[in-house]
Amino acid sequence: MAHGGGGGGGGRGGGRINVLNVAEKPSVAKSVSEILSRNQQLISRRGRSQFNCIFEFDYVIRGQPCHMLFTSVLGHLMELDFDDRYRKWNSCDPVDLYHATVRKFVPEDKLNIQRTLEEEARKCQWLILWLDCDREGENIAFEVIDVCTKVNRNLDIKRAHFSALIERAIKDSVQNLVMPNKLFADAVDVRQEIDLRIGASFTRFQTMLLSNAFVLDASTNTDGRNLVLSYGPCQFPTLGFVVERYWEREAHEPEDFWTINCTHRSEEGTATFNWMRNHLFDYACALVIYELCVDEPTATVTDVRHQEKLKYPPYPLSTIELEKRASRYLHMSAEHTMKVAEDLYNWGFISYPRTETDRFSLETDLRAMVSEQQGHERWGSYAQRLLDPEAGVWRNPGNGGHDDKAHPPIHPTRFSNGESNWTQQHHKVYELVVRHFLACVSQPAKGAETAVHVDIAGEKFSSTGRVILEKNYLDVYIYESWAGSLIPTYTHGQQFMPTTLTLDSGVTRPPPLLTEADLLTCMDKAGIGTDATMHDHIKKLLDRSYAIKENAYFIPTDLGQALVMGYDDMGYELWKPYLRARMESDMKDVSIGNKRRAEVLDACLQQMKACFIDARARKEKLFEAMGNFFERSNRSSNNDQTSGGVVRKCDLCHNSDMVLKQKPDGNFMVGCLGYPLCRNVVWLPGSISQAVVTGNTCLTCTPGPVFKIQFKFRRLEIPPDYNADHLGCIGGCDDTLKQLIDICGTGARNTSSTPGRGRGNPTSSSSGQRSNSRGRMACIYCRQTGHSSDVCPSHISQSNRRTQGFGQQNGRGQGNSTSSSIGGRINPRNQDFGRQNGEASIPCSSCGSPCTLLTSNSARNPGRKFYSCQACRNFNGWEDMLSGGGSVPRPSGFASNARRGGRANRSGGGHGSSGAFVSATGEPVSGRCFICGDPSHFANVCPNRGR
DNA sequence: GCAAGGTC
């Protein structure tokens, strides 16, 4: 782009123009100002915000003399939230949040920054954006543009792209200004809106549905605040990792195995030889081999190999590595580590702690940084050795392959022997940063390894010994060790008699619970969160009482398990990382112009809205899952049900009024205020979005007066030929209402199993209406009688979901008559929708009977296979979802729609050569080596095994 | 009372 002027009017004379420069944070404004001004005549003054001062200096950009005004924001200047009318939780149906008006605004605590920008922008001709060079930075750039151009429409807008805060990069960028990238900003707008709508809708839904319905108080840590059961596209997959590992562990069944061990002691030392078969699960087989060895115990050396081994120092330090290593070495949580690191950064002792970069740029003066550390009492002498060319310890740091183009790896920026205001943690984190940095610029440790293979009666054994020749970086990086042991000298063909030769038993172990370092690794691999937010997502699990941390391991609470179980039983993967991964991929497409912003936003929200509606329709799954862990609650507060006015005098007790109420889950009912003495209730259709008692009275129903209710139905949930607006009567005269109750179902559920809140009166109005009229009703899709909408041939997947819902509701609450009506639907389904093609392979999640594998003939899922219960016809899930990692093993006692918990893992290996854990169905299951802790392999193939 | 993303 050409830079030729931008107008001289308003400048300080001599053709000089005023240029407003804005960085993402105060430290960048300061650094860039210092670099460009060379600290000559650099003036700083306070702005309206106490953190964001304004630097002033003169500079020439492509021949144009400029007076630079350099200030900053603090990350995002604006927030996205719903319009005020949707902000209160009871203001609307949560599903409305998928299309509710949202607005971007500058929040209260950023108004000072906005005012500074406005004041300075009025004086300027150019606006140069120095935001971080990533998508979020680009989005913040447009927030700044929005604020500045509102007060000065003539601003010439430019973007500086810099790869590091070093002189050459900064000076290059200011002479090569570009246009801001709207596509990048669009991608962030999409992400923000999706996160908000999904997060708020599911959070309100599950909080209002469950928080008062169960006795949760003892298990939650609300500190007097209202309990919120939040859902978020990052926090839930994080919870998913914790729950999944916990269930894998609980489902593990220990298994005995046998192994042959051999040792040989000589004057030079002792060697331990490991059996090359590792171990066998068959005792008889192991015994036979052992006896062969004992009969001919002479060992013959078949191979001796000497090799030099290197152990490399770590790559330069990124945020995630800092968090992981502080967790492992210092036993500090990621959240606390970041707090301490931010302190050290703000006090000037370390570089910016939120960075993805794990390579130093070539321009970095690494030796100067090392030189600063020479005076330290503990690592100063090592720093001196590093700088001594004769010592030969220096090595240019490795390249970890990541670069966020905005920040260098975390490194010390100022020497300190410790400050008086530092806590123990400040000392530890500073020490880790310095030692890590010094290790990065060091030679790897060198060792000599000897591997010896022997043969005893045809069985192969091996032993490895190691001697460390040069410790190098290990001298300063005290957190790592490289244990080795000496073994005697052996030569090819040598024979010896083992000192011991034993047959030992062992038992397979479950995979360990996740540590914070493991969890961060899982999140990083799955793209959950950013370097700046991952620790927040982990903390959120603890704050929401979804998990606890015990001895550095994460354990899901009952609440965390119940929520994951509920969605898992629905067949949804809302707790898996795929949703976020898909969003990330869509964002990428938006940012490179492959997809339009509106297209991605509409498609994603449409899908998630459908998912939300479906999840809500099958909320009984959440209730069942919660019921596995918690007692139902008797609580009924004003918050629990929203009263909407008197409808009539109770026709059962004749004492109290019947009032319209909206339950926490959004469903409506008309109940007697005499509850629990009087349990009269009229359940209303589940498809109502709004209901208001009117002043109109029914002329038919007695005893009167019965006030009519103005209903608003959700359009997509009722048949097309019904009006969304309906003035109805609950007295019994209203056929339309009866029909919609029959078609859509009601909010009644779980009545017989819930003694506290349950209003399972079999004579209640709606129950009677539903069971009596079901057989006569027409299908809402094809409008034919003889079958109901939930088994309509043209809507197989919906029918599956609905059948499941009704089946459980009716089966529990309404006895035999309803059960027989479900039975009546068995044949049509098999004949119409499914071709039986397999025998039972999993038990039904509802009744435990064997399931049959059927093939769907529906238009929506042609050829897709699903499990159907032979006895109760419960839909038990799509085959491809059950076998493709859609579910996880559960602890025994919990039915899963995928499979019941069984032997899942064999941490001892012994099956196949991969060494991976293998589940009962043959799928690999993630785990971690229990010898060295490395998640990339298991103990049976651990290189440190036996050392 | 809700998300996740910036940053102090």
Side-chain angles (χ1 to χ4, degrees), chain A residues 798-809:
Chain A
Q798 274 195 0
S799 76
N800 288 334
R801 294 196 292 271
R802 286 172 185 251
T803 302
Q804 196 172 14
F806 277 128
Q808 291 180 349
Q809 200 170 48

Side-chain angles (χ1 to χ4, degrees), chain A residues 742-944:
Chain A
D742 193 82
I743 292 167
C744 309
T746 68
R749 59 176 176 266
N750 283 7
T751 47
S752 65
S753 63
T754 53
R757 189 79 187 122
R759 294 187 177 189
N761 186 345
T763 61
S764 75
S765 313
S766 69
S767 315
Q769 285 169 356
R770 184 169 57 215
S771 57
N772 290 340
S773 59
R774 167 159 287 282
R776 298 195 303 271
M777 290 310 302
C779 169
I780 67 166
Y781 298 113
C782 66
R783 306 302 298 159
Q784 291 181 4
T785 55
H787 68 266
S788 55
S789 55
D790 50 331
V791 292
C792 177
S794 61
H795 286 75
I796 181 66
S797 64
Q798 274 195 0
S799 76
N800 288 334
R801 294 196 292 271
R802 286 172 185 251
T803 302
Q804 196 172 14
F806 277 128
Q808 291 180 349
Q809 200 170 48
N810 296 344
R812 285 185 174 197
Q814 293 173 29
N816 292 338
S817 63
T818 319
S819 296
S820 66
S821 87
I822 294 173
R825 296 203 297 266
I826 292 175
N827 289 336
R829 172 186 268 197
N830 274 349
Q831 288 162 9
D832 293 343
F833 320 125
R835 177 172 52 82
Q836 185 168 332
N837 58 0
E839 281 311 306
S841 55
I842 61 167
C844 172
S845 66
S846 178
C847 70
S849 300
C851 289
T852 306
L853 194 58
L854 302 177
T855 302
S856 166
N857 294 336
S858 73
R860 292 177 64 167
N861 290 289
R864 198 174 176 193
K865 291 175 181 168
F866 62 93
Y867 287 102
S868 174
C869 176
Q870 289 178 338
C872 72
R873 293 297 139 185
N874 186 24
F875 171 70
N876 272 264
W878 297 105
E879 188 213 26
D880 51 358
M881 290 184 71
L882 302 188
S883 59
S887 193
V888 295
R890 302 259 179 98
S892 56
F894 296 120
S896 160
N897 65 1
R899 53 179 174 264
R900 288 177 192 278
R903 177 191 303 157
N905 311 317
R906 283 180 162 175
S907 63
H911 286 269
S913 57
S914 70
F917 290 94
V918 174
S919 75
T921 54
E923 303 157 32
V925 178
S926 61
R928 196 161 68 104
C929 173
F930 63 79
I931 294 173
C932 69
D934 190 332
S936 67
H937 67 262
F938 294 98
N940 58 323
V941 291
C942 177
N944 293 320

